[in-house]
Amino acid sequence: MTRSELFAQIKAKSSYLCVGLDTDIQKIPPSLRNEPDPIFAFNRAIIEATQAYAVAYKPNLAFYEALGPKGWESLQKTLEIIPKECFTIADAKRGDIGNTSGLYARAFFDKSASGLDFDSVTVAPYMGEDSVKPFLAFPGKWVILLALTSNVGSSDFQRLEVVKNAEVPHARALFEQVLMTSQNWGSHDQLMYVVGATRADQLQRIRELAPEHFLLVPGVGAQGGSLEEVSRYGMNRQCGLLVNSSRAIIYASSGADFAERAADEARKVQQEMAGYLETYL
Amino acid sequence: MTRSELFAQIKAKSSYLCVGLDTDIQKIPPSLRNEPDPIFAFNRAIIEATQAYAVAYKPNLAFYEALGPKGWESLQKTLEIIPKECFTIADAKRGDIGNTSGLYARAFFDKSASGLDFDSVTVAPYMGEDSVKPFLAFPGKWVILLALTSNVGSSDFQRLEVVKNAEVPHARALFEQVLMTSQNWGSHDQLMYVVGATRADQLQRIRELAPEHFLLVPGVGAQGGSLEEVSRYGMNRQCGLLVNSSRAIIYASSGADFAERAADEARKVQQEMAGYLETYL
C-alpha cells in the first residue's frame, strides 16, 4: 500500500485508528470456544464490527506464535479477511543480520513462501542498517521501526544519551539517534516509526526529527495516553498518524456482545479522531 | 538445563560447539526434496552426524517462519530429536512489552501451549527490562541477550557511546551498558549474552564486565572469526563459551554426502576446541 492510498483511506473514514489484534485464547468469550478455530472466529467478528472505523489492523505475533503452527494458521486466515483497503501490520519486532532478516521479510511479505502478505512489519533497530534493509527491499511494503516504546523499560536504553562522535555538540537520546540514522536507509514512503510518546514536548521533538513520517502510536486506550495530545502535536499534512488500540476495543466486553461493544468503542475513537482531523490536519 | 549440566556436557564432549540450524530449503541436497518434510529430514541427518561433537543446537527461527505453519511443524519435529543432553537455543531475537514477551516465552518454553520446549531464546535488549523479565520467569530456562552482534550494522547503535548520567566519568558503548544494566535482571544461571567479538581487546573488556556469564559467539567459521582468539580471551572457569557455526558445517557439501561432510567439519572444530579446553580452562 502506498502512502497516498493510506491517506485516502484516512480521509474516507475520517479515522487513523489501528485495531490491535492481541487475541488471547484465554480472554475470548466462552461462546467461541467450540468453534473449530476460536481465534479466527473472534478476529473475524472484531474485523467485521470495526472495519468501518479502523484504517489498520495489527496482529501481535506473540499471541499467535504461543499457539504453535495452528496459531500461524489462524493468523493466515485472519489476514485474508481483512478488507483490502485496510493497512496491515505484523507486529513482530524482528531484526537479525542481513540474510536472516531477508527470510523474516519473506515470512511476512511473501505469500508464496509463508502464506502471509502483510503491508508492514515492526522491526527492532538494535542490529542496525543491514538488519532493516532486507525488509525495505520489498516494493510497496513498509518497515515500522521501533524508536520510542511506551513501556517502563524504554528508559533503560532508548532514553540514554548517546554521543556519536567528538563533533556532536551535545548528546541526544538513543531513540532520537535511531530516528536520524534510519532515515538514510529508506524514504518516508516505506519507513514509519513506533513512537510511544503522548507528551507534547516529546511529540514536538519527534516531529522536528521526522516531520513527514507516519508514526504508529501505541498506548492510547488501555495504556492511558491522550489521543488529543497525540493528535495535536503528532499530526502532519498527510495525517502521519496511526493510533493503536487493542484491549480497550477487542475486550470491551467478555460476553456474547463483544463484537457489538468493540464496534461501539471503535466508533467512539473514530468520532474523536474525525474531530481532530477537522481541527489539526 | 542448569549451568553445571551444560558444563558437564562440555567436559564430556571436550567441545563448546553450537551447530546453527539455518536450514534453507533452497540449499539442501536435491536428494532430500522428495521427503515429506525435507527441512526435518535434513536437520535429522545433520543432528545425527554431529551430536558427538556439538553441545548445543540453534535453529534460526527466520528460516522456519519463512515457510509458514509447515515450517513451525518442521521446527517442532527437529526439537524433539535433539538429544536431551544438548542445549537448545531458539534464535528468535524477540522482545516486546511485558505481557507480549510473556507470550513469546510461552511460544518457546511452554510445550503445552506451542509444542516447543527450548532451553533458551535469544532476546533483543532495545525495549529494556520488562521486555526481558518474562522469559527469566521460566525456571530452568535461559535468556541469551543480544549485546554485541557481528554484523556491519552493529556499529550503527551498539557501539555508540552512551552517557548514563552526569556522574558517569566517561562514556561507554551501548553494548557495554546492556551488559551492565541487564545483570540486575537475572543471574548468570539464567542469562547469557550474544557477543560477536573476536578481537582480544574486545573480549577482555567483555570479560571485565561479565566474568561469569556464558557467551554465545557467532561469526566463527563462515564469517571468519578466530576460534583461537575467542577461546584464549573469552574462556572462564566453567568454559563460559558456546561458539556457533552454521553454514560451514551444515552446508559443507551440497551433495548426497552432506551429513558425512558436516560430521567431518564438526569433528575438526571439536578437536580444535579440545585443545583450547586443555590449555585455557
Side-chain angles (χ1 to χ4, degrees), chain A residues 18 57-62 64-65 72 75 79 82 87-94 104-105 107-109 116-123 135 142-144 146 194 216, chain B residues 65 96 104:
Chain A
C18 174
Y57 288 93
K58 180 175 77 62
N60 180 330
L61 267 285
Y64 303 86
E65 284 181 33
W72 282 78
L75 178 64
L79 193 57
I82 295 176
F87 187 73
T88 54
I89 302 168
D91 194 1
K93 300 188 171 70
R94 298 299 194 263
Y104 279 127
F108 296 110
F109 293 159
L116 297 176
D117 183 22
F118 280 93
D119 291 311
S120 66
V121 61
T122 56
V123 175
F135 295 98
W142 294 76
V143 164
I144 309 182
L146 304 187
V194 173
L216 173 62
Chain B
E65 283 181 33
D96 207 308
Y104 279 127

Side-chain angles (χ1 to χ4, degrees), chain A residues 195-233:
Chain A
V195 170
T198 50
R199 290 206 336 256
D201 58 334
Q202 291 174 334
L203 284 156
Q204 287 173 316
R205 173 72 179 142
I206 286 161
R207 278 301 182 203
E208 276 172 33
L209 297 172
E212 300 293 342
H213 290 73
F214 264 85
L215 309 179
L216 173 62
V217 184
V220 171
Q223 291 170 63
S226 156
L227 180 57
E228 198 281 329
E229 204 98 329
V230 168
S231 305
R232 182 189 301 199
Y233 297 102

Side-chain angles (χ1 to χ4, degrees), chain B residues 21-54:
Chain B
L21 298 171
D22 297 14
T23 308
D24 185 340
I25 190 80
Q26 292 166 352
K27 285 192 190 160
I28 68 178
S31 56
L32 294 177
R33 302 255 167 91
N34 297 324
E35 293 278 339
D37 184 342
I39 298 287
F40 173 65
F42 180 84
N43 287 350
R44 183 174 53 196
I46 292 287
I47 291 163
E48 285 172 1
T50 59
Q51 62 186 255
Y53 316 114

